Amino acid sequence: PSPMHSRGEWTPEKVADIMVRYTVKYVVFFPKSFIRRSAHWTSNQLFFLGLVHGEIPSFLRVVKIYPDVWIYEANIFNQQGAH
């Protein structure tokens, strides 16, 4: 969600909240399509910028990393204090 599509910031905390609210089990990320975007396009996407830089939030676990797609599994449902 670019700034033109979403006014909010996509922080790891916001993504975790959405994953819990909608019981999202996996994140499928296409890094090449993200990396090619301008800084303006990615300015509100802190969660995805973190993934690009290898910063994996504690609520995700790497399932498989391919050149064109990175797959993460949510482990947020197993953490204490999860909603």
Side-chain angles (χ1 to χ4, degrees), residues 4-30:
M4 68 182 142
H5 296 114
S6 173
R7 292 185 181 161
E9 283 194 337
W10 289 85
T11 63
E13 295 79 13
K14 181 175 182 177
V15 172
D17 288 344
I18 290 170
M19 291 180 78
V20 169
R21 184 178 309 139
Y22 296 105
T23 319
V24 175
K25 302 284 186 180
Y26 292 91
V27 171
V28 179
F29 181 58
F30 300 92

Side-chain angles (χ1 to χ4, degrees), residues 1 8-19 24-31 34 41-61 70-76:
E9 283 194 337
W10 289 85
T11 63
E13 295 79 13
K14 181 175 182 177
V15 172
D17 288 344
I18 290 170
M19 291 180 78
V24 175
K25 302 284 186 180
Y26 292 91
V27 171
V28 179
F29 181 58
F30 300 92
F34 185 83
W41 195 87
T42 60
S43 64
N44 70 335
Q45 300 183 33
L46 304 175
F47 169 75
F48 301 106
L49 284 169
L51 291 181
V52 166
H53 294 291
E55 299 166 8
I56 303 167
S58 63
F59 60 87
L60 292 179
R61 161 186 97 69
W70 301 350
I71 304 168
Y72 302 91
E73 182 178 24
N75 62 15
I76 196 167

